[in-house]
Amino acid sequence: MAFKKKKMEKGGVKLKDILKKFELPAAAAIDSLKELGVGVKNISSVVEQSLVDIVEEHLRDLSKELKPASKDEPDTVHLKTPITVKSLAESLGRKPNEVITSLMAMNVLANINQVVDHSVAKKIAKKFGKILIVDKREKNDHVGDESHEKKPEPEDIQEEDSPEDLEERPPVVTFLGHVDHGKTSLQDAIRKTDVAGGEAGGITQHIGASVIRHGNKSVTFIDTPGHEAFTAMRARGASITDIAVLVVAADDGFMPQTVEALNHAKAAKVPIIIALNKMDLPGADPGKVLRQMQQHGLQPEEWGGDTAVVKVSAIRGDGITDLIERILLEAEMLQIKANPKKRARGVVIEAQLEQGLGPTVNVLVQNGTLKRGDFVLCGEVCGKVKSLVGTSNDRLDEVLPGMPAKLVGLSSVPPAGTVFVVCENEREAREIADRRCLDNKRRELSKNVGPAANLEDLLNRYAQDQKPTLALLVKTDVQGSIEAIKESLSKLPSDKIAIDVVLASTGAITENDILLASASKAIVVGFHVRVNPGVNQLAKKENVEIRLYSIIYELVEDIKDALEGKLAPESREKSLGDATILKIFELSKGPKVCGCMVNSGLVRVGAKARVFRGEELIYNGSVQSLRRFHDDVREVRQGFECGIRLDNFVDFQEGDKIHIYEVELKKSSL
């Protein structure tokens, strides 16, 4: 039904006041009025005075329509989106297979967990004598519709700080740069420790944080990995930093990952200091680096620009004090301050499972003070702070702004890079975390089940499923390594074969991991983790392969080899020769033999053969035997006549052409 709106009169009536006259579900009335063309959103919407009579008449008709339906079926069917086959069947009091059969009659193919379109669901309900009303989700259980009002998330609430509450905090400094340009060694020289020696292959593969004091000032350092696999971790490091130190080897100059790291620092809009390392090497060429800086939009101070260049040698310790003093000078100009009197907020630098401690989280407090006993919300994870451990393994009662610490007490391991906030009480933190988990599960359900498919969609999906898949179960020591491994694997070619990561989590390899891998036919990949006692025996029994790695290069190369090993060998035809049939010989015993002239190449017993009559292919098989005069031979070359007998083919004619070839099998590559 359609109508033209009358000229608008002053005033109007709220829909809820009109509905008082009728026994109607509000959702059904609103849906029906929308179809009519009346712009109402909820029961508080105002209906123009000129439309009140039309709306009342329409609702009166709707009420009459629903009353017979309610006599036949006591309950009107109400469902919230998304509507799945299972929920529809349950609401109609029918078995799922009855609904699926009805859907098939409408040329809709769907399984029990798939989403059904509203219009289709209403037709199915009508078929079973029901009227389906699709209800909108309320604020607290709604997923996917952003039109409703949302309560601000705790992480989004930014409280203004009084100037008198602000105090100077230590600058957070990130070391960025290319692999093997000396980022960690430079920090070792600053901290007078040996972190790089403890990293496999001398490559930093985790984000770590440390604090040094210079005079009466403190500086917090964050070291980020330089290998290309850790792009996400580098980007995260740049996003939480106040000052970026770009380490460039004086002999190598700018490399691809140097430029990438520079772009991260520029995107974060933080001051950049160039640490020109390895000045002790004979091949050091600082002039080349200064020229490369200009090419990438950095103007060195000694050439009249504003980017500091500090020449250092991590090995000899040259220039280390100059670098620290330059960092403190930049920090002084930035006037970095925070409010230690408020509840803490910050970011997760790294997260892991530790034996005896459970989930542990390396955090950087950006504002406020984090205290033991605080209730922390971190994405979908929450918990009470049981203990805080400083960078020197000392137990802390509180952590001030700009300082890192290890937090113990969360319910599970949050993703690295997640923002954390301190909530007023445990109830608030748990309610928000539980709600986020539920919302995420609903989103995953809607995303995974997808809409019901027609037959063509089903056949296309089946064809895609035929692609071979390598299943992996990945266990790492820290959360950041999961990101790095997934990113590296995603860059491997996937046109011929797919990678399915059935599980990626932190912690040691357990018996449950082996059982899951066995059920999924997956390879267990461990990165910087141990295998629990008894697990190897179970893996052998379940025929599950465990591969352990400490360097990401090796892991990626091995997985690439495993992918290639699952591919079927590539076949390639190699032409051997051509022959023409000159005469057909009838033999007293056995099938016919064709007398041929070998025009090019050779004919060989066991080789593949195609017979052409004109342009038409009439046979594709193999050469069974060859004769030269009265002798059986293995091979006949160009320019000689021979008798050819083909496998299971005697329908020769003079003038037919025989093409001889063989198939070579070659190992497939990605």
Side-chain angles (χ1 to χ4, degrees), residues 273-314:
I273 299 173
I274 301 294
L276 198 51
N277 194 23
K278 303 189 180 182
M279 286 297 296
D280 54 302
L281 296 180
D285 186 357
K288 179 180 78 171
V289 176
L290 296 181
R291 290 191 296 274
Q292 290 175 328
M293 285 175 60
Q294 276 200 323
Q295 292 168 5
H296 292 95
L298 296 177
Q299 297 298 324
E301 278 184 342
E302 58 186 280
W303 287 3
D306 56 2
T307 302
V309 179
V310 183
K311 297 174 182 177
V312 297
S313 169

